[in-house]
């Protein structure tokens, strides 16, 4: 039994070395693919998609040459571009990063096919509750560089997003709300960054 111990130990060591070598090789190839993916990020979507289609066609039935463009790298680049786009969109739709917001409350009174804008109120709402409700949407204009958010709700729903009664802003907002006619079709909360207001006037 002792005679088999040494060969088994050598075999185990050899297997471990091979496994480490394979792992190191795969990590090196993965690192090279990621480096290539970063270089592909500067390509436009159409060109990147064409390259991927070409690589996929060439990869069928035969392997690519060492050092040639990697399908994995292109796939990584496309995934990274999509992830970056998702993050950018998420940032633009996040009112938390927009700074102090002024809340303009608008209401449309409906009479048949005729709509009348009720006088606008500059008020305050519980923006966190409004954000959690999923009603808050980004209505920013990327061309003009304007940041804005809006939420549409019924007259009755607005009451759920008002600040506590002991808040100084509760009274003016509630007075406006109480004066709304029952025929109001909907209420719009328009959020505009406060710093932009001073620049506009």
């Amino acid at each position: 039994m002792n005679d088999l111990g040494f060969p088994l130990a050598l075999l185990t060591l050899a297997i471990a070395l091979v496994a480490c070598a394979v792992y190191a090789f795969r990590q090196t190839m993965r690192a090279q693919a990621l480096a290539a993916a970063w270089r592909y990020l500067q390509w436009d979507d159409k060109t990147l998609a064409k390259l991927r289609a070409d690589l996929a066609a060439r990869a069928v039935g035969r392997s690519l040459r060492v050092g040639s463009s990697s399908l994995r790298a292109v796939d990584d680049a496309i995934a990274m571009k999509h992830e970056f786009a998702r993050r950018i969109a998420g940032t633009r739709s996040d009112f938390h990063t927009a700074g102090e917001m002024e809340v303009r409350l608008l209401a449309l009174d409906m009479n048949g096919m005729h709509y009348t804008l009720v006088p606008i109120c500059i008020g305050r709402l519980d923006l966190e509750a409004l954000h959690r409700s999923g009603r808050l949407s980004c209505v920013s204009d990327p061309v003009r560089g304007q940041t804005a958010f809006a939420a549409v709700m019924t007259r009755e729903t607005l009451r759920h997003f008002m600040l506590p009664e002991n808040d100084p802003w509760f009274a003016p907002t509630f007075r406006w709300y109480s004066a709304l006619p029952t025929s109001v079709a909907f209420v719009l909360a328009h959020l505009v960054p406060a710093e932009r207001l001073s620049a506009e006037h």
Side-chain angles (χ1 to χ4, degrees), residues 141-162:
D141 184 352
V143 177
R144 301 176 60 188
Q146 293 182 345
T147 302
F149 306 88
V152 179
M153 66 200 81
T154 65
R155 178 185 180 278
E156 291 73 21
T157 304
L158 175 64
R159 183 69 180 88
H160 298 297
F161 301 114
M162 287 190 185

Side-chain angles (χ1 to χ4, degrees), residues 4-17:
L4 292 176
F6 184 69
L8 287 175
L10 287 178
L11 180 60
T12 303
L13 180 60
I15 292 174
L17 289 175

Side-chain angles (χ1 to χ4, degrees), residues 44-71:
D44 61 83
D45 293 340
K46 184 177 180 180
T47 305
L48 200 56
K50 184 179 184 303
L51 174 61
R52 193 203 180 284
D54 293 341
L55 290 175
R58 284 160 43 191
V60 175
R62 60 192 182 94
S63 59
L64 295 173
R65 299 192 313 273
V66 176
S68 62
S69 299
S70 166
L71 185 61

Side-chain angles (χ1 to χ4, degrees), residues 74-165:
V74 175
D75 284 339
D76 286 344
I78 292 174
M80 289 163 67
K81 287 171 74 73
H82 289 169
E83 176 62 14
F84 291 159
R86 186 192 65 79
R87 291 181 183 179
I88 292 171
T91 301
R92 287 177 177 171
S93 63
D94 186 1
F95 82 96
H96 292 99
T97 64
E100 184 180 357
M101 307 295 291
E102 178 186 79
V103 181
R104 302 174 181 178
L105 296 173
L106 302 82
L108 282 180
D109 188 12
M110 181 176 66
N111 183 13
M113 293 295 293
H114 300 282
Y115 294 85
T116 305
L117 179 64
V118 176
I120 298 173
C121 169
I122 306 298
R124 290 288 187 275
L125 295 176
D126 185 344
L127 297 184
E128 290 297 334
L130 192 61
H131 180 66
R132 289 194 302 271
S133 71
R135 295 177 179 273
L136 200 59
S137 300
C138 176
V139 291
S140 302
D141 184 352
V143 177
R144 301 176 60 188
Q146 293 182 345
T147 302
F149 306 88
V152 179
M153 66 200 81
T154 65
R155 178 185 180 278
E156 291 73 21
T157 304
L158 175 64
R159 183 69 180 88
H160 298 297
F161 301 114
M162 287 190 185
L163 295 170
E165 294 185 11

Side-chain angles (χ1 to χ4, degrees), residues 24-40:
F25 176 77
R26 294 184 64 179
Q27 289 296 100
T28 301
M29 295 299 294
R30 182 61 175 158
Q32 291 177 353
L34 284 175
W38 279 100
R39 293 194 296 271
Y40 287 137

